[in-house]
Amino acid sequence: MNHFMLLAVLLPLQTCYATYSQQESDVFPVTYFNVSKDLALQRLLVEWDVVKSAHDAKLAMSFEIQVNRTDETTSTTVLTEFRNVTLDKLGKPLHWVWYSDIPLECMSHAVRIRTKAETSKIWSEWSLWETVLGLDTSNSSEPQIFPSKIILEEGSDTSFCCIGRKGQIIKEFSVRPAVRVFNRTSSRLGILTMENVRHHETPQIHVCCSYSQDHCPAHAAFLVGRAPDTPKDFSCQTQDMRIITCTWSEGESTYLYGKHSSNYTLIAKSSQKMFQCTQSCSKTCACSWEIGQQRIWNVTVTAENPLGKKTAMDVFNVNHRFYPTAPFQVRQKCTDTEITLHWNYQSNGIELFCQTEVLHPDGKAELHNSSDMHSPHRSITVGGLQPYTEYTARVRCGAAKHFWRWSEWSEARTIRTKEATPSGKLDMWREITPVLGGRNVTLFWKQTPGFRANGRSISYEVTWEKIEDGSRPESISLSSVYNSTRIFIDNHSYKISIMAMNDVNFSLPSVLVISRATDNSTEELKEEQVNGTDDGIFISWKPRYIYDSYIIEWCNFPKLRPCDLQWKRFGPNISSAVINSAAFVPGVRYNFHIYGSVANRASLLEKKTGYLRELPPLLDPVVDKVELTFNAVTLSWDSYLTNESQPGFVRGYHVYVSPIQENCSLKGSKKHILPDNSELCKYTIENPEEKRYTVEHLMSNTKYKLGVKAYTGGGETPIDNFIYIDTPYNYNMLYFLFLLVIVPTLVAAICHWKKKWVKECCCPAIPSPNKSKVLSFKEFKIGSEKVLKINDCIPDMLAMDNKAEAQKLHPWSKLCSIPTEDKTDGHNSSWIYPKENVERDLPPTPISQTHNWFENFAYFSHLDVESDPYQTPETLEVNETELVVGLYQPHCYIDVFNEDTASATRETAGRKNGLRYISQRDVHCLGRRL
């Protein structure tokens, strides 16, 4: 039992020990470790090694390296880096390089390392720190500035440090120009860092370090430069097969001069020879040496300065680098279209071919290669040239086999070909002006693109002859300074021709045919408007297939005389063109005439007019007439011109209106906003010939400002000139107000003042003949009394208040009075009843009355006599004659009583049968209105 328990304990212990022993065997500690510094390059060189068994096993291992930076008080790990290396059996130590970002002199640096096999998870123990001391441990009396090198590379980040004496404090550490980063690690150590140093910003850097701010005992100056470029355009060649010359250029500037400038070292090697050349040159450098019998050369050139070095290399066969000398003794001969050149050259046994360059007057260069490579005298003929034209020719040569490069050009030769007959035709046009007895024809001509004078001097010969009778031609000659002339012809048809002439011969003639004067159509063609474009003025026309060409004619300066007439020809299949001229300017109207030509005879087809670009009118319309009413104003500007004097086609007018004190909102207008945000009413007239406009819906007694602007396709000028008007009072409204308010008010006031009189005249309480308007007519007056004649109007009944008045109305009193004996209040009255006598039961009347009745036009009643409550049997005594008279009833009568009786009677009758008052104007008697 005890034996088995002991085995159970020992077996796990043995397993753990075996595992631990195996892990210990997988750890390979560093056996050799060394750290050194390279101050020139500011780097640490680390070297180490592990046990030999690791090399023998070719293990793949990992190494962890740490770099520590220390000063008097602090220690900082600035880098931890891992490196993976597979070992070999050679057993060589391993190396690692670290570049410091600050000068190594500034602070002490320590490095340590540990290892691990990639198959293991256990790192070895760290090695001891290997320390490289900085100068911060020294005790120098004066501050020291590092780095010690004085050349800084452009674009780099540079750190400066200043180390002071132990126990001293650095109070001033500065860089001019100003630094970008400043770090202070301790009282006796200062660090400054400049990032991305640029030469154009800081060509020189000055650093100052001191214990006080008064002076600078430690000072250093640094230059900013570049490492040299690889030599540019490096090449080697020979011109005589004896001496090789290599050339190159420096490349971009390094900003370093003097002893710091770039040095170039050339080393040329062949199988049996070596040559070295050292130069300090700028821009272009060269080295030469004799080649002897060596043909294959390996040449390198190295550029070096304190910031680095660059190398270029060239390997070549001398036979392939032959660079001939320039041809010499160049000669020439020529005809009117050919040039022949001759020259010599040195070939040094190398077969050459040559090339000739011919420069034309227009600057175009043509190259021609020679084909004869065996004759020592070389030549070439160049054809296809223009007569009497100056050319420049030169020659160069190169190796026919293994061509390397052309030689330099020979001396240039200037050659003029000989004269020949003028080529092509002149382009001729005409302007015809009718005069007394015929026509003046002004002829114009110009050289076409295909025309060439081909001679030293040229003249023109103009010939014209009548077509109908075959008369003798007339001609004149003009020198080359002329391009126009004027001739007189009669009204017959003429043929006109022109030829150019030089010392050799005449050119082909250009011909125009002028038709008879009567043949020209007198119909006036309508002028159409055309538009300008960015490239010129666009012209189009209707094609007519009977014509073999078209001509467009215009004047460059239409306002001048002469106007510089121009023309341009087009083929039969063209019906539009853009006409452009350097003389065209905006704001000038140009007129174009389009002609069709067949058999040299031209006919006017269309007229066009237009602008390169329309401009606003220069002048505003002048309003020369203003017609003003209380609610409208009519403006006229008849004197305004719309012709070619305008800088654009006048398309119409704008009329602007606004009250002085407020914005405008007139009916039928559009709102227009001025730059100062004020508003105007705008009316548009689209007919340029309509120079009259009426602005309506104005307010009376209001001040307005008005402006008239003409507008073209280029718009209109700013609105700055106004005319001012004051609309008059609306007197019609005053009259209306007077009739509507004042007159009724006056009438009412008068009526109120004379209301009693008005009441008596219009509505009397008891109608009275003396007060009736009916009696106002002249025929109703007797003396001063108003009397109603009753001879034409027989009344139904009459009543008289008293007999005395009845006697005054003779002879009617006898006719109209019937006495009766009634005594009523002492009055005697007589009643006449024209109708039948009817007895009525009436209230007893104690006193008998006498009533006088007469006709009154102011009343009309259909009451029967029997309805009168005042009739009594005693009053019905009427004789026969009187009855006959009473039977005539004009239905136009008046009942007049005394005041009391009449009132009572009127009230009673009104209640019974509706007795009504009839206006005098509506009363009719015997068929006529009173």
Side-chain angles (χ1 to χ4, degrees), residues 798-804 806-807 812-823 827-833 848-853 872-879 882:
L798 297 174
M800 299 299 294
D801 286 338
N802 53 63
K803 292 182 179 181
Q807 293 298 327
W812 307 104
S813 60
K814 293 181 181 181
L815 176 63
C816 299
S817 298
I818 300 176
T820 58
E821 299 268 340
D822 281 327
K823 295 180 180 179
H827 294 282
N828 295 324
S829 300
S830 299
W831 291 82
I832 298 178
Y833 292 93
S848 176
Q849 298 181 354
T850 301
H851 301 278
N852 293 324
W853 288 69
T872 59
E874 290 81 2
T875 62
L876 297 177
E877 298 175 4
V878 182
N879 58 31
E882 292 172 344

Side-chain angles (χ1 to χ4, degrees), residues 754-775 786 856-859 894-896 899 902-903 906-907 916-920:
K754 297 289 187 177
K755 61 183 178 179
K756 184 176 180 180
W757 176 82
V758 172
K759 181 178 180 182
E760 290 177 356
C761 290
C762 298
C763 301
I766 300 175
S768 172
N770 290 329
K771 297 180 178 179
S772 176
K773 296 297 181 181
V774 169
L775 302 180
K786 296 178 181 179
N856 190 338
F857 285 54
Y859 286 86
I894 304 172
D895 294 335
V896 179
E899 185 175 359
S903 299
R906 185 168 55 251
E907 292 174 3
R916 61 192 180 93
Y917 176 83
I918 302 299
S919 171
Q920 297 178 30

Side-chain angles (χ1 to χ4, degrees), residues 591-606:
N591 299 316
F592 301 88
H593 293 170
I594 302 170
Y595 294 84
S597 176
V598 57
N600 299 319
R601 192 186 301 264
S603 302
L604 180 61
L605 303 179
E606 298 179 23

Side-chain angles (χ1 to χ4, degrees), residues 428 441 443 462-464 487 494-497 510-512 514:
M428 181 172 59
V441 180
L443 299 174
V462 179
T463 304
W464 64 98
I487 62 174
Y494 277 80
K495 183 178 76 171
I496 303 174
S497 63
S510 296
V511 179
L512 280 177
I514 307 297

Side-chain angles (χ1 to χ4, degrees), residues 45 80 161 181 190 212 254 284 398 519 550 594 616-617 636 693 707 740 823 859 886:
L45 305 176
T80 298
C161 73
V181 177
S212 66
T254 62
T284 302
D519 293 342
Y550 297 97
I594 302 170
S636 301
Y693 191 77
L740 187 65
K823 295 180 180 179
Y859 286 86

Side-chain angles (χ1 to χ4, degrees), residues 186-206:
S186 67
S187 60
R188 63 176 296 199
L189 176 66
I191 297 178
L192 294 173
T193 300
M194 295 188 69
E195 297 178 344
N196 193 18
V197 179
R198 292 293 174 184
H199 178 269
H200 69 278
E201 298 175 356
T202 56
Q204 285 190 345
I205 298 174
H206 298 273

Side-chain angles (χ1 to χ4, degrees), residues 655-668:
V655 179
Y656 297 95
V657 185
S658 178
I660 297 297
Q661 302 297 334
E662 58 186 84
N663 292 330
C664 185
S665 58
L666 295 179
K667 181 179 179 181

